[in-house]
Amino acid sequence: MNDSKERYGGITRLFHWGMGLLIVWQFLKFFDRINDGEHWVGQNLVSWHISIGSVLLVLIVLRILWAATQRNNRPEQDPATALLVKAGHGLLYLAMLLLPVTGVMIMIGNGFGWAPFGMEIVAGDGPEIGWMATLGSMHSLLAWSLLILVIGHVGIALLHHFVKKDGVLRRML
Ligand code: HEM
Ligand code: HEM
């Protein structure tokens, strides 16, 4: 269950791959730019955006708490690039936290309310809250940033596996 110096444990791997899948699902929201989302992906997958995003908000809080308990217990990084790896993973965490936070801010700030899976947390006829809507408008920029970070992250993981052949990918599998 716990991480070790040799590999990431079951809980870390469940967070990593489970959230990875849900985040890829959330990226499908970009397809709303095509024909205003009037297509199969938009109508069947993107319609879950707020519900899945709200799940991701809970998961990232739990994942940060979990990572804190494991921080002295994780695989070692190559000292030559350890700082860079730390910064890169830190940015991934920051974007994973700020995306759902700004998503909720779009909804509440514009008075749309917040009702994941039909459970009303904030009613839909609320007042507009200017500062909240403004901060929420960072959501799209953050989504593009996370997309670029993830593409870089996956590229580096594949480089480790197929070029350096150093077992870095295997310790997350
Ligand atoms: C990790 C979680 C999330 C990811 C990765 C994500 C990703 C995205 C992406 C890729 C877009 C399209 C942006 C564009 O076309 O420029 C988007 C738009 C949007 N998202 Fe999210 N989202 C997340 C969580 C949430 C949550 C929790 C909510 C609301 C509770 C939300 C509400 C919205 C709304 C209302 C839009 C359309 C408005 C806009 O484009 O600015 N998102 N999101
Ligand atoms: C949305 C997609 C993804 C996100 C947000 C993400 C995020 C992260 C984060 C934050 C870490 C640091 C460990 C942790 O705290 O969990 C990590 C580690 C790792 N990820 Fe991802 N990841 C994603 C997808 C992928 C994919 C598709 C691959 C493989 C092709 C991958 C391969 C790895 C590997 C090998 C590590 C371990 C690196 C090390 O030993 O330090 N990730 N990932």
Side-chain angles (χ1 to χ4, degrees), residues 26 29-30 33 49-50 53 56 99-100 103 107 139-140 143-144:
Q26 290 300 82
K29 184 82 179 160
F30 281 128
R33 290 169 174 263
H49 193 76
I50 285 166
L56 280 164
L99 266 158
M107 298 304 291
H139 192 72
S140 170
W144 285 106

Side-chain angles (χ1 to χ4, degrees), residues 8 16-17 63 74 77 89 93 153-154 169 171-172:
Y8 293 95
H16 181 265
W17 296 108
R63 184 170 177 179
R74 292 201 145 173
Q77 300 295 340
H89 290 169
Y93 270 97
H153 176 71
V154 173
L169 177 59
R171 58 197 196 183
M172 191 49 103

Side-chain angles (χ1 to χ4, degrees), residues 3 8 12-13 15-17 19-24 27 63 67 74-77 85 88-90 92-93 96 146 150 153-155 157-158 160 167-173:
D3 297 347
Y8 293 95
T12 299
R13 281 183 273 133
F15 273 127
H16 181 265
W17 296 108
M19 289 180 70
L21 191 80
L22 294 180
I23 288 169
V24 169
F27 281 149
R63 184 170 177 179
R74 292 201 145 173
E76 307 276 352
Q77 300 295 340
V85 170
H89 290 169
L92 283 166
Y93 270 97
M96 283 192 285
L146 181 61
V150 167
H153 176 71
V154 173
L158 296 178
H160 274 285
V168 162
L169 177 59
R170 225 168 309 120
R171 58 197 196 183
M172 191 49 103
L173 294 178

Side-chain angles (χ1 to χ4, degrees), residues 10 18 31 63-64 66 69-70 78 81-82 89-90 92 97 106 108 110-113 134 146-147 157 169:
F31 286 80
R63 184 170 177 179
I64 289 169
W66 173 250
T69 70
Q70 302 296 308
D78 178 351
T81 50
H89 290 169
L92 283 166
L97 178 65
I106 296 177
I108 300 178
N110 291 293
F112 302 147
T134 304
L146 181 61
L147 180 67
L169 177 59

Side-chain angles (χ1 to χ4, degrees), residues 7-81:
R7 57 179 304 166
Y8 293 95
I11 293 180
T12 299
R13 281 183 273 133
L14 192 65
F15 273 127
H16 181 265
W17 296 108
M19 289 180 70
L21 191 80
L22 294 180
I23 288 169
V24 169
W25 190 342
Q26 290 300 82
F27 281 149
L28 298 177
K29 184 82 179 160
F30 281 128
F31 286 80
D32 273 8
R33 290 169 174 263
I34 301 167
N35 201 16
D36 282 327
E38 302 285 330
H39 44 67
W40 189 88
V41 172
Q43 281 155 1
N44 295 282
L45 299 178
V46 178
S47 46
W48 293 94
H49 193 76
I50 285 166
S51 300
I52 305 278
S54 304
V55 171
L56 280 164
L57 176 60
V58 176
L59 289 177
I60 189 58
V61 172
L62 296 176
R63 184 170 177 179
I64 289 169
L65 294 174
W66 173 250
T69 70
Q70 302 296 308
R71 72 178 180 282
N72 297 319
N73 209 21
R74 292 201 145 173
E76 307 276 352
Q77 300 295 340
D78 178 351
T81 50

